[in-house]
Amino acid sequence: MTDRSVPLTRARDQLTELVARVRFGGERIILTHYGKPAAVLLSPEAASQSGNAGRAADVIIQEVRLPAHAEQVWEALTDPRVRRWWAPVILDPVVDGEFNYLWLEDGPVDADLEGREVEDSESSSRGEVVGTVLEVISRELLRFTWTERSGLTTEVCITLREVDGHTRVIVQHQGTRDPAHERLWSRWSGDLAEQFAAARVRLGT
């Protein structure tokens, strides 16, 4: 069965097509609201087999709260001058843009404040991760595919929600419960505050 994620706002206008995909194409449609799974469309056969028509796809969720405005956080994630992830990435934050990342599971390729790569010699490589940007809402949402060397393709959605001068950054990795992914995103959420502070230093703010 093929999973397809569709924002709820689009699903309203495409319901007939989505039902046809579920009924005749064997797909499972995950309806998302602000990037978060909200409901699932299943065929009667698939619902019977699963025993639970409301079961959502596996998903890893991590969240961090930053003392900054959403615009500043968005710039830190997408501006090539200041972008700080667990490692240097190629990210073109437009629909159909490129995402590329070398995943060293136990200790990713890192970079100092000048952008020089620093590699942990004891790291074990999971190989190159490539993807395509699917959806962009400036200062609010970034969604992209995540394809590993093994051929596994999943989907990542990062949302920003500003509340009272702080920004909640929520990452959702849909289609996996792999412990390695759990560790990766746990490190991502734990380190983001420090990385964002480094980005602000580089901007001189």
Side-chain angles (χ1 to χ4, degrees), residues 119-141:
E119 184 172 346
D120 183 344
S121 61
E122 297 182 357
S123 299
S124 59
S125 176
R126 295 270 296 209
E128 184 180 29
V129 175
V130 297
T132 301
V133 176
L134 301 175
E135 185 177 6
V136 178
I137 303 176
S138 181
R139 299 185 294 277
E140 293 184 18
L141 182 145

Side-chain angles (χ1 to χ4, degrees), residues 132-180:
T132 301
V133 176
L134 301 175
E135 185 177 6
V136 178
I137 303 176
S138 181
R139 299 185 294 277
E140 293 184 18
L141 182 145
L142 177 65
R143 186 166 63 92
F144 53 91
T145 59
W146 174 287
T147 301
E148 299 175 22
R149 179 173 54 187
S150 65
L152 174 68
T153 297
T154 52
E155 188 175 299
V156 173
C157 183
I158 299 173
T159 56
L160 309 183
R161 299 178 185 173
E162 184 171 333
V163 180
D164 297 329
H166 288 71
T167 300
R168 293 174 59 205
V169 182
I170 305 166
V171 60
Q172 299 169 82
H173 196 155
Q174 300 179 26
T176 178
R177 293 296 298 181
D178 185 335

Side-chain angles (χ1 to χ4, degrees), residues 51-129:
N52 183 0
R55 187 178 68 85
D58 289 336
V59 59
I60 294 169
I61 300 176
Q62 294 287 340
E63 179 176 341
V64 62
R65 187 171 182 265
L66 300 176
H69 294 292
E71 181 176 4
Q72 296 170 298
V73 178
W74 179 263
E75 185 174 29
L77 292 175
T78 61
D79 189 318
R81 297 172 301 164
V82 299
R83 188 163 58 234
R84 311 302 297 172
W85 293 62
W86 343 258
V89 300
I90 296 172
L91 172 63
D92 185 9
V94 297
V95 173
D96 293 329
E98 178 185 6
F99 174 81
N100 186 287
Y101 161 58
L102 178 60
W103 185 3
L104 299 180
E105 182 178 343
D106 299 325
V109 173
D110 204 350
D112 60 21
L113 292 183
E114 301 303 320
R116 294 185 295 264
E117 292 187 0
V118 180
E119 184 172 346
D120 183 344
S121 61
E122 297 182 357
S123 299
S124 59
S125 176
R126 295 270 296 209
E128 184 180 29
V129 175

Side-chain angles (χ1 to χ4, degrees), residues 4 14 18 26 122 153:
R4 178 186 296 268
Q14 301 176 2
L18 295 178
E122 297 182 357
T153 297

